[in-house]
């Protein structure tokens, strides 16, 4: 059984400066900060096992972030785009529904006492803004 050798990391001076700013910046998200700490420890020629002990992460996680930085540089520790449900409405449709919801109810002929989320949703469908809109996305 062979032991895997860790990817050597040698950030440039500017990369090292940016990594340190990210590692100790107050506005850096916690997961990104942890990844940057892994990269900084790895840049000091520490083994993956040593970095894992110091950071409290799993050995495989340390290896992943070290390898990504070695292959991709600064974009390596960043979050990747995740898959997910595509948006149901375009930005234009969203803006039109927001504008409709901000109008006075008298402009649509609806009394103020009935102007709640279902009314703008129905009005958006009548105006052809979107083929189907329920009250919950209007509420959001």
């Amino acid at each position: 059984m062979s032991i895997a050798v860790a990817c050597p990391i040698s950030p440039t001076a500017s990369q090292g400066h940016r990594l340190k700013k990210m590692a100790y910046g107050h506005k850096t998200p916690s997961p990104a900060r942890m990844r940057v700490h892994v990269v900084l420890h790895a840049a000091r020629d520490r083994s993956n096992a040593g970095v894992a002990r110091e950071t409290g992460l799993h050995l495989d996680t340390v290896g992943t972030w070290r390898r990504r930085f070695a292959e991709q540089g600064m974009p390596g520790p960043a979050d990747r785009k995740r898959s997910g449900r595509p948006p149901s409405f375009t930005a234009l449709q969203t803006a039109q529904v927001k504008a409709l919801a901000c109008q006075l109810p008298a402009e649509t002929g609806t009394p103020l006492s009935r102007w709640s989320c279902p009314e703008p949703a129905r009005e958006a469908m009548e105006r052809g803004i979107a083929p189907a809109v329920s009250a919950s996305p209007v509420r959001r």
Side-chain angles (χ1 to χ4, degrees), residues 5 25 40 49 84 92 116:
V5 178
L40 287 172
L92 177 63
S116 60

Side-chain angles (χ1 to χ4, degrees), residues 6 46-55 57 59 62 66:
R46 299 224 169 100
S47 67
N48 284 352
V51 175
R53 273 192 307 276
E54 291 176 25
T55 59
L57 297 172
L59 183 65
V62 171
R66 184 179 199 145

Side-chain angles (χ1 to χ4, degrees), residues 32-52:
R33 183 178 295 137
M34 186 57 73
R35 294 174 201 149
V36 169
H37 278 288
V38 167
V39 171
L40 287 172
H41 285 301
R44 294 185 197 121
D45 291 330
R46 299 224 169 100
S47 67
N48 284 352
V51 175

Side-chain angles (χ1 to χ4, degrees), residues 103-123:
Q103 287 179 355
L104 292 174
E107 294 176 21
T108 62
T110 306
L112 183 60
S113 62
R114 290 202 42 205
W115 193 248
S116 60
C117 293
E119 295 303 319
R122 189 169 36 78
E123 187 70 26

Side-chain angles (χ1 to χ4, degrees), residues 74-103:
M74 286 303 290
D79 278 334
R80 289 184 175 171
K81 186 171 174 77
R82 297 175 187 250
S83 63
R85 182 177 176 186
S88 302
F89 303 106
T90 65
L92 177 63
Q93 288 173 324
T94 302
Q96 288 174 335
V97 170
K98 284 180 182 180
L100 178 66
C102 291
Q103 287 179 355

